[in-house]
Amino acid sequence: MQDDRHDTPRDDEGKRFDGADRRASSGATPDTPQPFSGLTRLLRRATQEDAALDAISDYWHGLRRGHLVPRRADLDPRGFSDHVSSVFVLEKIAPGLARFRIAGQQVSEVMGMDLRGMPLSALIQLGSRDALQADLVRLFEEPAILRMRLRSGARLTGAMLLLPLRSDLGDVSRALGILRTRGLVGSGVNRFGITSSSVQRIAQPQGLPLPTASPTASPTAHPAPQPGFAEGQLDFLTPGPDAPHHPSERPYLRLVR
């Protein structure tokens, strides 16, 4: 997959300090100062965030089953039960714009309110929204995978991963996301600036044609949605041919001979 990085900060440097910690713990007394201990803890937390994002990425790739992008209907929270409170689902509403369809508890706590129906840009500071809009266009149009590093003030940082999904109509208009934060989450609204981002275009599996959406395609049977992660559904009732009619009901069109 092509990897276009807007910035180059990475957390791989945390590996350098693991060995230093082991040497300090084996050869130093408990009172001996350990250099870089604060930085080590910070990098370890960042590594844990990356592990959560990677777990959702692995789950998403497992749903592809040879397709370019998996289906929204195939999502099952049992597959990412350890991270369900940090996961959300987006719906594309316009080029570069997406809103929350579902948001886990920890995601909503960052904003101090229920995020369902709100745009993703509500989480982002004004100075970073143009960059977010450009990346969302690539996410849905190419399609591509979007990973971001975030910061809100001096005490709150985070990481976000967005993975495209197909709707029931076959178009790429949904996205599976995860937001992991570390630091102090205030009681009010917390908005993030994007400190770095990377966009990876998704490669088509070899030997398979590009999927095409057909508006006249017959519906495909989907598994029953799981409780706690299913979107609200409206009842749709169609009266049968033998259904009784109220005496006051009249057809809109009547044949006159």
Side-chain angles (χ1 to χ4, degrees):
M1 293 185 290
Q2 179 182 353
D3 190 352
D4 300 331
R5 294 188 178 273
H6 305 330
D7 213 332
T8 56
R10 294 182 59 85
D11 296 310
D12 296 338
E13 296 178 359
K15 297 178 180 178
R16 302 182 195 172
F17 301 97
D18 291 340
D21 285 350
R22 286 193 294 269
R23 289 192 298 271
S25 62
S26 61
T29 64
D31 297 331
T32 303
Q34 298 182 16
F36 309 114
S37 59
L39 180 58
T40 302
R41 288 193 296 270
L42 181 63
L43 290 172
R44 282 177 175 172
R45 292 193 193 104
T47 303
Q48 292 173 356
E49 290 177 3
D50 288 337
L53 270 59
D54 290 342
I56 298 300
S57 177
D58 292 341
Y59 174 78
W60 178 87
H61 279 285
L63 294 180
R64 294 178 68 186
R65 300 186 180 95
H67 295 282
L68 186 67
V69 174
R71 301 182 307 173
R72 158 66 181 93
D74 289 335
L75 290 184
D76 186 343
R78 292 173 296 186
F80 47 87
S81 58
D82 292 340
H83 311 290
V84 69
S85 62
S86 302
V87 168
F88 56 90
V89 173
L90 298 176
E91 175 189 15
K92 175 186 174 183
I93 54 178
L97 297 175
R99 66 180 177 183
F100 288 94
R101 292 293 298 263
I102 298 173
Q105 180 179 357
Q106 292 184 7
V107 182
S108 294
E109 286 177 353
V110 172
M111 287 292 289
M113 64 183 75
D114 188 353
L115 286 174
R116 288 177 296 179
M118 296 184 65
L120 176 64
S121 57
L123 282 174
I124 305 300
Q125 297 172 2
L126 289 175
S128 295
R129 289 183 181 177
D130 288 344
L132 173 66
Q133 183 174 4
D135 287 341
L136 286 179
V137 169
R138 296 188 61 183
L139 172 79
F140 291 111
E141 298 297 332
E142 290 189 8
I145 297 172
L146 174 58
R147 188 181 290 244
M148 293 175 283
R149 295 287 183 189
L150 310 172
R151 176 173 291 277
S152 178
R155 297 187 177 183
L156 183 62
T157 60
M160 183 185 296
L161 175 69
L162 299 178
L163 303 149
L165 297 169
R166 288 180 291 141
S167 72
D168 291 341
L169 299 178
D171 59 329
V172 182
S173 60
R174 303 290 190 271
L176 173 65
I178 178 172
L179 171 65
R180 293 296 298 264
T181 62
R182 65 178 182 273
L184 181 62
V185 177
S187 57
V189 175
N190 298 277
R191 289 191 172 92
F192 295 89
I194 301 175
T195 60
S196 66
S197 65
S198 65
V199 182
Q200 294 179 329
R201 185 170 185 175
I202 303 169
Q204 175 67 20
Q206 296 182 356
L208 292 175
L210 290 172
T212 56
S214 174
T216 59
S218 59
T220 304
H222 299 317
Q226 298 297 321
F229 206 73
E231 301 177 26
Q233 302 293 328
L234 297 178
D235 294 332
F236 183 79
L237 302 178
T238 303
D242 300 329
H245 295 277
H246 193 276
S248 63
E249 292 181 355
R250 294 183 179 180
Y252 289 100
L253 299 177
R254 183 173 55 183
L255 178 62
V256 178
R257 295 182 180 179

